[in-house]
Amino acid sequence: MPFGYVSPEQEMRDKADFARKGIARGRSVVVLQYENGILFVAPNASRALHKISEIYDRIGFAAVGKYNEFEALRLGGIRYADINGYTYDRSDVTARGLANLYAQSLGMVFTESRKPYEVELVVAEIGDAPEDDQIYRLTFDGSVTDEHGFVVMGGVADTVAGRLKDHFRQGMPLSEALDAGLAALTEPGGERPPVSQLEVAVLDRTREHRKFQRLTGARLERLIGAAAPPAESVPPAGEAEEPGTGTSPATAPEGEIDTGSGD
């Protein structure tokens, strides 16, 4: 056996471990279906470097890992979509076709290059009805999974997915879906990221033509506020409570005052 020989099985395991560690260093991204489409939510303090993007009219893209690597894949997907849409028909550009393209690229890099891509991707396409929506998750080795309902990738994905499962239900309105996504991304007892550090977008089937839209600023704040539980009303200082609602001797019904005698 030549010096320095590594079996193919060990080499693949080493590459997979390397890629997983790189992906886990980032923050998780959540993609989930809601009443009128597909929602993308990601903590991201950068205004210029996006984890979530549009690929084509009805197709969105989300990624975690090394930015330069998934950005190259995103641009390649846009070129593929533009060429096929122009050469044939816009309806011929599908999330399935893009997922196959990305799977081939990722699989080739993983097997033939010394260093695999440290990325995970989601390619999502909005349909005319919720049952027609398509969500594909692609891992660093080119594996493709057809997801339903929601998907979490990057960071502590399993933990975030467990929290999201507790909050997710089919057919949620947008504000409720956003609240579920933020709850999943936030550690129990922790504070949610401010609006300025969130990247949120939707594929909205009710929009004409281009279905992709980023949610920012005042609209995002309103959606987050719409899902927040109403604050409990506290009577102003000095205002007496309604009879029978308090427990103090001044408001308790006659004959039920605790005299403290121990009887």
Side-chain angles (χ1 to χ4, degrees), residues 50-150:
H50 296 304
K51 297 180 180 180
I52 301 165
S53 299
E54 179 185 31
I55 294 289
Y56 213 54
D57 297 345
R58 307 168 69 91
I59 301 174
F61 171 95
V64 293
K66 295 199 70 173
Y67 176 79
N68 65 312
E69 293 176 347
F70 69 67
E71 180 67 3
L73 291 168
R74 183 186 72 88
L75 294 175
I78 291 174
R79 286 192 293 268
Y80 164 87
D82 285 344
I83 291 171
N84 279 270
Y86 178 79
T87 305
Y88 304 106
D89 187 82
R90 299 185 77 84
S91 61
D92 291 327
V93 181
T94 64
R96 180 179 297 177
L98 277 165
N100 289 334
L101 174 72
Y102 287 141
Q104 293 173 19
S105 298
L106 288 168
M108 185 176 299
V109 171
F110 184 76
T111 55
E112 297 183 3
S113 299
R114 293 190 61 189
K115 178 197 167 304
Y117 277 3
E118 300 168 63
V119 298
E120 283 191 24
L121 314 176
V122 162
V123 180
E125 179 179 0
I126 196 78
D128 294 329
E131 56 269 20
D132 300 323
D133 293 346
Q134 299 178 40
I135 303 176
Y136 297 101
R137 178 183 183 178
L138 295 100
T139 55
F140 53 86
D141 61 353
S143 300
V144 184
T145 307
D146 183 8
E147 302 284 356
H148 301 279
F150 66 86

